[in-house]
Amino acid sequence: MKISPRSDYPVGVRPMSVEVPAGVAGLYEGIYEVTLNNVVDIVFCPSLTDVAPPFRDELLPRDVDEITTVAQARLASILFSPYSVTPNDSRNGRHERLPGKGVVFYVTESEFTTFAAELRELSERLGGRHPDQTVSDLAGHAVIRFVRETVVPSPEFGPADRAMLQDDPVG
């Protein structure tokens, strides 16, 4: 499959629990990865206000294959993602660059609950790594509107990633 820039890009949604070994899959329950145009990943992660922010990798085991708690799974999912979305009512509407190169976007707990329900439904319907549904097909979902109206237009969204989500890439 040739991947090229497109404005009506395909959208894939997968639960992170299917991306990890079965023995720890339960720790990743409720975390979803949204993939735009097969190349741009955004992780939607339930609350971890009990441990972050700040997002500190020293809270993780030296070997991420040794994650043993839900908090560690959530923290690793955010720290190793280029873009992530998590609920934090006191930081709603803001974003921050993390150590390294990731960016986390904050929403309300209520908003995230809506997103999580939609992501669960979309992951069951879309499945797989090469979806046939595009962003315009899914425009009626609040989570897709958030991605299109908040994440992608953000000044923190990388130029190479932005170029993959339009017909005429810049630069």
Side-chain angles (χ1 to χ4, degrees):
M1 164 187 276
K2 183 177 187 269
I3 298 171
S4 59
R6 21 186 322 200
S7 59
D8 193 21
Y9 43 86
V11 176
V13 178
R14 288 173 313 288
M16 288 290 284
S17 58
V18 302
E19 302 290 326
V20 296
V24 295
L27 301 176
Y28 291 83
E29 204 58 43
I31 304 171
Y32 290 89
E33 184 175 60
V34 174
T35 303
L36 311 177
N37 202 13
N38 301 301
V39 294
V40 180
D41 294 324
I42 304 166
V43 166
F44 284 78
C45 184
S47 178
L48 37 92
T49 56
D50 53 335
V51 297
F55 295 88
R56 301 181 324 265
D57 60 2
E58 64 264 13
L59 298 176
L60 297 175
R62 274 176 117 58
D63 182 348
V64 293
D65 290 335
E66 296 175 6
I67 285 176
T68 58
T69 69
V70 168
Q72 289 174 338
R74 291 178 180 183
L75 183 60
S77 296
I78 287 179
L79 285 173
F80 298 123
S81 176
Y83 309 103
S84 56
V85 178
T86 192
N88 186 313
D89 288 335
S90 67
R91 292 176 180 246
N92 176 44
R94 294 193 282 176
H95 64 270
E96 76 177 279
R97 181 151 298 279
L98 301 178
K101 56 184 180 175
V103 179
V104 63
F105 295 85
Y106 297 104
V107 297
T108 65
E109 190 70 49
S110 173
E111 230 178 341
F112 192 84
T113 299
T114 299
F115 294 168
E118 290 182 348
L119 290 167
R120 184 172 26 267
E121 182 265 323
L122 288 171
S123 72
E124 292 168 5
R125 185 162 50 115
L126 302 178
R129 291 211 173 260
H130 302 289
D132 57 6
Q133 297 283 292
T134 66
V135 70
S136 63
D137 296 332
L138 304 172
H141 292 83
V143 68
I144 300 302
R145 284 193 304 275
F146 180 80
V147 166
R148 290 180 85 181
E149 296 170 7
T150 302
V151 177
V152 173
S154 168
E156 298 292 343
F157 198 75
D161 294 334
R162 183 171 284 111
M164 288 306 294
L165 306 180
Q166 60 187 18
D167 288 322
D168 297 314
V170 177

